[in-house]
């Protein structure tokens, strides 16, 4: 347990150290370049995730501690023997997936406005309100002229909390897809994400999406191949997706 709880930076994780100093010969340069790039990449992810408690007050662990724990737990699940079988790309993808799989929980004001105008969200909202009758009851109470100022303030606060719960429930259900889109849209052309000119953003995004999909969808037909060609490496996307879920 201490190997998980006492981690404070990506450089302290087993996976990162395997990249930084665990490869030799032709793999060494690739691995060390990835390790160096991941310091900056993971720092960006941590900075963005710090807004999650503001948006989703009931989700308090989706922060730097959570990202580092996921990274460390995956290494412990793999064990030293399993880790030895992974190439530098596979290890880097696990780290990227750990740090970006919950980025879909973060929305800026423009994204929230776009979501509010989305048909899928509005259908979800209607069904959510039907299952939470107090939502409409509290909304009506706010307009009641007979309410005292204290009762009105209490109702406004309760209504805001329910609105936040509605938003959080929708984001939670769809955040895998949102994380995938965020990674691909923002990092596909970022040189730090590239190996031999090939961007890892598409593959990391696919892993991010997979973590809250039905496990039956993690198959070759959906692009999770056991022998994906990335640069000069064969990558087992099915295996990586399953490790992320454990």
């Amino acid at each position: 347990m201490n190997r998980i709880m006492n981690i404070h930076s990506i450089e302290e994780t087993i996976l990162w150290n395997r990249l930084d100093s665990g490869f030799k010969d032709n793999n060494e340069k690739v691995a060390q370049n990835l390790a160096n790039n991941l310091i900056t990449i993971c720092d960006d992810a941590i900075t963005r995730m710090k807004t999650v408690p503001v948006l989703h007050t009931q989700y308090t662990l989706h922060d730097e501690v959570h990202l580092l724990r996921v990274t460390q737990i995956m290494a412990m699940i793999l064990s030293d023997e399993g880790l030895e079988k992974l190439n530098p790309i596979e290890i880097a993808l696990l780290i990227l997936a750990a740090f970006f799989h919950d980025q879909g929980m973060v929305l800026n004001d423009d994204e929230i406005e776009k979501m509010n105008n989305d048909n899928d969200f509005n259908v979800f909202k209607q069904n959510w309100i039907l299952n939470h009758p107090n939502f409409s009851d509290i909304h009506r109470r706010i307009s009641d002229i007979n309410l005292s100022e204290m009762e009105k303030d209490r109702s406004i606060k309760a209504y805001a909390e329910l609105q936040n719960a509605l938003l959080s429930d929708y984001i939670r259900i769809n955040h895998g897809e949102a994380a995938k889109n965020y990674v691909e849209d923002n990092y596909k052309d970022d040189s730090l994400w590239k190996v031999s000119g090939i961007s890892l953003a598409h593959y990391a995004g696919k892993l991010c999406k997979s973590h809250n999909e039905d496990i039956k969808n993690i198959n070759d037909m959906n692009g999770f191949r056991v022998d994906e060609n990335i640069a000069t490496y064969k990558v087992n996307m099915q295996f990586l997706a399953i490790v992320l879920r454990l």
Side-chain angles (χ1 to χ4, degrees), residues 147-160:
L147 280 184
S148 67
E149 284 299 316
M150 182 179 294
E151 289 173 321
K152 186 172 183 179
D153 288 344
R154 188 181 298 121
S155 295
I156 290 172
K157 181 180 179 181
Y159 186 65

Side-chain angles (χ1 to χ4, degrees), residues 31-54:
Q32 289 183 344
N33 283 340
L34 284 167
N36 290 332
N37 292 345
L38 281 165
I39 295 172
T40 300
I41 292 171
C42 292
D43 187 58
D44 288 345
I46 288 170
T47 299
R48 189 169 186 267
M49 287 300 292
K50 287 179 179 177
T51 63
V52 167
V54 176

Side-chain angles (χ1 to χ4, degrees), residues 24-121:
K24 303 298 180 185
D25 302 324
N26 295 334
N27 293 320
E28 183 175 15
K29 183 177 181 180
V30 171
Q32 289 183 344
N33 283 340
L34 284 167
N36 290 332
N37 292 345
L38 281 165
I39 295 172
T40 300
I41 292 171
C42 292
D43 187 58
D44 288 345
I46 288 170
T47 299
R48 189 169 186 267
M49 287 300 292
K50 287 179 179 177
T51 63
V52 167
V54 176
L55 291 172
H56 315 284
T57 54
Q58 65 270 54
Y59 302 121
T60 57
L61 293 177
H62 291 71
D63 55 9
E64 178 178 2
V65 174
H66 173 69
L67 305 183
L68 290 167
R69 284 181 180 174
V70 171
T71 306
Q72 192 73 340
I73 288 170
M74 288 194 296
M76 296 176 72
I77 289 171
L78 287 165
S79 76
D80 292 342
E81 181 181 358
L83 200 55
E84 289 284 339
K85 297 177 181 179
L86 300 184
N87 62 51
I89 302 294
E90 289 172 323
I91 294 175
L93 284 172
L94 284 178
I95 295 173
L96 288 170
F99 274 78
F100 285 87
H101 72 286
D102 281 333
Q103 293 292 333
M105 301 285 286
V106 182
L107 276 73
N108 59 36
D109 291 341
D110 290 340
E111 290 167 328
I112 291 175
E113 182 178 355
K114 181 179 179 181
M115 185 183 69
N116 282 326
N117 294 319
D118 181 77
N119 183 62
D120 289 341
F121 172 72

